[in-house]
């Protein structure tokens, strides 16, 4: 198995082959994910909810992400590892650069940040200094208090246009990947078609270049999984089999199905 890089993901987008992303927070699961051949691991700030029991991602710290990034990195030499920048850790470009450089030195290959236009300067500064960025648009959970809840975004024409414009701007600023969360299928497909960089969807329909799920959700461990999640433990007798089934379902296009998607 050769190491996955951003070039691997770009090549997959060109050929139309879908790739798979999953969250992980420790070396044990990271090893199983490597065995399943999953291309990308996200050390998501979702750890604040699934591991720490908070009701949002806001309390997660840079030290938390640093600790879990090191553990994930020790367990996996194949997947590309993205570390989430937690809430409040990238409000200014210089602060963002320092925090991101710290995470890269601990084993991350890329960092992810949530935000639109206000983030462009930071994306460019990171890209120019050798820190690849995955932008995150649509439902951005760190903004749950301004959004008024975990709601589908881009249903109205104005908000769909704004997300599309932000996606183009992030690419132009130097983002290497884009996560698109909880948007109608037609918007997810349009953005993936218009952007040159790979677009990773979660609740964004089957038209994106890749899918991401939170590990504990797809293993059926979360008390209330969102609509866009499928429980891959169901019908499988091991965690490796469940994660492999997720990978296979993304590759063959059977996940996400219609019941996991949102309409306008
Ligand atoms: O923190 C996370 O796990 C994420 C995914 C839901 C995309 O940001």
């Amino acid at each position: 198995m050769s190491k996955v890089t951003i070039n691997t993901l770009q090549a997959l987008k060109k050929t139309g082959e879908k790739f798979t992303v999953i969250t992980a927070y420790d070396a044990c699961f990271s090893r199983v994910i490597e065995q399943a051949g999953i291309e990308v691991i996200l050390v998501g700030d979702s750890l604040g909810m699934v591991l720490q029991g908070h009701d949002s991602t806001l309390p997660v710290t840079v030290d938390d992400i640093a600790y879990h990034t090191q553990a994930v990195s020790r367990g996996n030499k194949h997947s590309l590892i993205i570390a989430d920048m937690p809430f409040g850790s990238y409000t200014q470009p210089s602060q963002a650069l320092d925090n991101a450089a710290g995470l890269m030195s601990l084993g991350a290959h890329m960092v992810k940040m949530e935000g639109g236009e206000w983030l462009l300067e930071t994306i460019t500064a990171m890209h120019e200094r050798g820190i690849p960025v995955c932008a995150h648009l649509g439902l951005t959970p760190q903004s749950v208090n301004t959004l008024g809840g975990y709601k589908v975004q881009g249903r109205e024409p104005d908000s769909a246009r704004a997300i599309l414009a932000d996606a183009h701007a992030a690419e132009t600023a130097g983002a290497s990947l884009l996560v698109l969360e909880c948007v109608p299928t037609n918007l997810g497909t349009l953005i993936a078609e218009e952007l040159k960089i790979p677009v990773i969807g979660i609740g964004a329909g089957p038209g994106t270049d890749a899918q991401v799920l939170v590990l504990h959700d797809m293993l059926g461990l979360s008390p209330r999984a969102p609509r866009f999640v499928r429980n891959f433990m169901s019908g499988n007798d091991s965690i490796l089999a469940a994660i492999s089934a997720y990978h296979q379902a993304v590759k063959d296009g059977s996940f996400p199905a219609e019941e996991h998607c949102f309409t306008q």
Side-chain angles (χ1 to χ4, degrees):
M1 243 188 305
S2 57
K3 174 109 201 60
V4 175
T5 68
I6 186 58
N7 298 342
T8 318
L9 305 180
Q10 281 286 4
L12 290 173
K13 172 157 182 141
K14 278 212 180 84
T15 60
E17 182 178 332
K18 308 270 182 191
F19 63 90
T20 314
V21 185
I22 193 164
T23 69
Y25 317 103
D26 63 33
C28 172
F29 277 110
S30 183
R31 227 172 271 126
V32 179
I33 289 165
E34 180 174 63
Q35 272 180 279
I38 301 268
E39 287 91 350
V40 180
I41 293 190
L42 170 64
V43 184
D45 62 357
S46 49
L47 69 86
M49 298 171 86
V50 295
L51 299 189
Q52 298 173 337
H54 295 296
D55 61 4
S56 80
T57 58
L58 272 58
V60 175
T61 65
V62 176
D63 285 348
D64 291 335
I65 298 288
Y67 173 88
H68 291 283
T69 298
Q70 289 178 83
V72 164
S73 170
R74 285 185 205 114
N76 189 318
K77 299 296 163 230
H78 164 254
S79 311
L80 184 137
I81 298 171
I82 304 177
D84 235 345
M85 298 281 284
F87 178 69
S89 70
Y90 54 98
T91 52
Q92 299 299 326
S94 62
Q95 170 211 25
L97 281 165
D98 286 349
N99 286 326
L103 295 174
M104 298 288 288
S105 72
L106 297 175
H109 306 117
M110 187 177 293
V111 297
K112 178 167 81 60
M113 296 181 289
E114 301 178 8
E117 206 187 330
W118 68 270
L119 199 55
L120 299 177
E121 188 187 344
T122 303
I123 293 175
T124 302
M126 287 196 183
H127 173 67
E128 286 172 346
R129 288 160 181 79
I131 301 174
V133 172
C134 175
H136 184 156
L137 295 169
L139 171 56
T140 46
Q142 291 175 12
S143 302
V144 62
N145 292 307
T146 47
L147 296 175
Y150 299 102
K151 297 176 181 161
V152 179
Q153 303 295 307
R155 276 197 153 134
E156 305 305 322
D158 278 358
S159 105
R161 267 193 295 276
I163 295 171
L164 178 62
D166 280 345
H168 277 288
E171 174 173 87
T172 305
S176 298
L177 295 175
L178 172 68
V179 164
L180 203 51
E181 179 163 353
C182 281
V183 298
T185 294
N186 59 353
L187 181 59
T189 304
L190 178 70
I191 292 176
E193 281 171 0
E194 290 203 359
L195 263 55
K196 290 185 211 66
I197 59 172
V199 177
I200 302 162
I202 175 162
T208 54
D209 306 301
Q211 300 292 327
V212 57
L213 284 178
V214 170
L215 175 70
H216 293 62
D217 288 349
M218 57 78 70
L219 291 178
L221 294 172
S222 303
R224 274 190 326 274
R227 172 199 168 121
F228 53 75
V229 174
R230 178 165 143 198
N231 178 354
F232 283 92
M233 262 326 275
S234 154
N236 285 300
D237 60 6
S238 72
I239 288 170
L240 175 59
I243 294 174
S244 301
Y246 166 49
H247 191 41
Q248 184 54 41
V250 171
K251 290 280 178 202
D252 68 24
S254 57
F255 178 81
E258 214 173 311
E259 70 261 29
H260 307 117
C261 299
F262 301 105
T263 52
Q264 207 128 32

